[in-house]
Amino acid sequence: MSDSNQASQSSLSQMSSDEYKAIAKKHEPSRPVIRNCIRAFLVGGLICLIGQCIQEFFMSVFDMTTKEAASPTVAVLIIISVILTCFGVYDKIAQWAGAGSAVPVTGFANSMCSAALEHRSEGLVLGVGAKMFKLAGSVIVFGTVAAFIIGIIYALLGFGGRG
Amino acid sequence: MQFLWAFIVGGLICVIGQLMMDLIKLTPAHTMSTLVVVGAIADGLGLYDPLVKFAGAGASVPITSFGNSLVHGALTELERDGWIGVVTGIFEVTSAGISSAIIFSFIAALLFRPKG
């Protein structure tokens, strides 16, 4: 356990990590921004189109207004997303579509479901229960805080609310 | 016609998210959180409702509408119950989304093993 041995070892690991970085950089595809955007547009648009179809279905079959149909539409999309996540399909779509599958509400459900599945082995309470919101939690926290601040601003300015 | 606008507007919101991830190099979590806050502010300014009216699910399916619904709930109960409504109303509209995501994810975790 001489110092020189340690030093050479660390320099070796330093070198190999530099080398690794160089190699990684050479092989890293330059982010194909335009291609990613086209994919995100197509898949995101398609998911919203499916949502629109489900909404129209609820409106015509159950005689709902647009507002009433919104909640069941979201619920149906979430069920579809959870099922696709269980069979590993949603993650394949996500690899191809990037933000196109992450931004719609289905991506929110996907992040919760995949976290729940991933941590299942740690038990129902510490795994599924505690880790389910690993990714979705930040969305809920920031959304809630923002909504609270906006609500307070409305109240302070005396706008009252909106029906 | 609304089907077309749902596709275009929904797609464009996803493109904005993709650009935030690719150009500003935000993580997906940062992107989602930012979009939710943007949606909340847009509703605070009264801009999101016209978009939903125009694009239907194109505006109500992306995560921005989650921020919009949170503000909607807060403002609706503010009108009805006064100050305390801001706190009690926040989750009123989004309850369907959050509850069903929790319930179905839990059931899924009971039934399935992770894939891939």
Side-chain angles (χ1 to χ4, degrees), chain A residues 144 147-148 151-152, chain B residues 73-74 77-78 82-92:
Chain A
T144 307
F148 177 73
I152 293 296
Chain B
E77 298 233 332
L78 172 66
W83 282 82
I84 194 68
V86 175
V87 179
T88 58
I90 283 183
F91 284 111
E92 181 156 295

Side-chain angles (χ1 to χ4, degrees), chain A:
Chain A
M1 264 309 151
S2 68
D3 272 359
S4 72
N5 194 5
Q6 236 172 3
S8 82
Q9 215 168 20
S10 80
S11 89
L12 188 73
S13 73
Q14 190 65 41
M15 234 171 69
S16 65
S17 111
D18 279 349
E19 255 172 28
Y20 173 78
K21 269 183 200 156
I23 293 169
K25 194 160 193 183
K26 205 163 69 186
H27 290 278
E28 185 187 14
S30 59
R31 291 196 182 207
V33 177
I34 293 174
R35 195 195 69 189
N36 285 352
C37 285
I38 292 171
R39 288 178 174 186
F41 179 77
L42 291 177
V43 174
L46 194 66
I47 293 174
C48 293
L49 186 62
I50 294 169
Q52 184 72 38
C53 293
I54 297 169
Q55 192 173 317
E56 298 281 339
F57 170 80
F58 277 115
M59 282 161 68
S60 63
V61 174
F62 297 107
D63 249 348
M64 290 173 164
T65 65
T66 316
K67 228 174 195 167
E68 286 168 337
S71 288
T73 303
V74 168
V76 169
L77 283 172
I78 285 172
I79 295 173
I80 295 172
S81 166
V82 166
I83 293 172
L84 290 178
T85 304
C86 288
F87 289 105
V89 178
Y90 203 89
D91 297 285
K92 288 219 175 69
I93 301 173
Q95 271 173 7
W96 195 83
S101 65
V103 170
V105 72
T106 47
F108 178 77
N110 167 255
S111 74
M112 286 178 63
C113 184
S114 56
L117 287 174
E118 196 185 320
H119 295 280
R120 172 71 180 86
S121 57
E122 291 161 45
L124 283 182
V125 176
L126 295 176
V128 177
K131 303 280 171 63
M132 191 187 274
F133 285 101
K134 205 171 60 171
L135 299 162
S138 62
V139 170
I140 296 182
V141 169
F142 281 96
T144 307
V145 171
F148 177 73
I149 292 171
I150 290 165
I152 293 296
I153 291 174
Y154 263 75
L156 282 177
L157 295 180
F159 284 163
R162 261 189 279 139

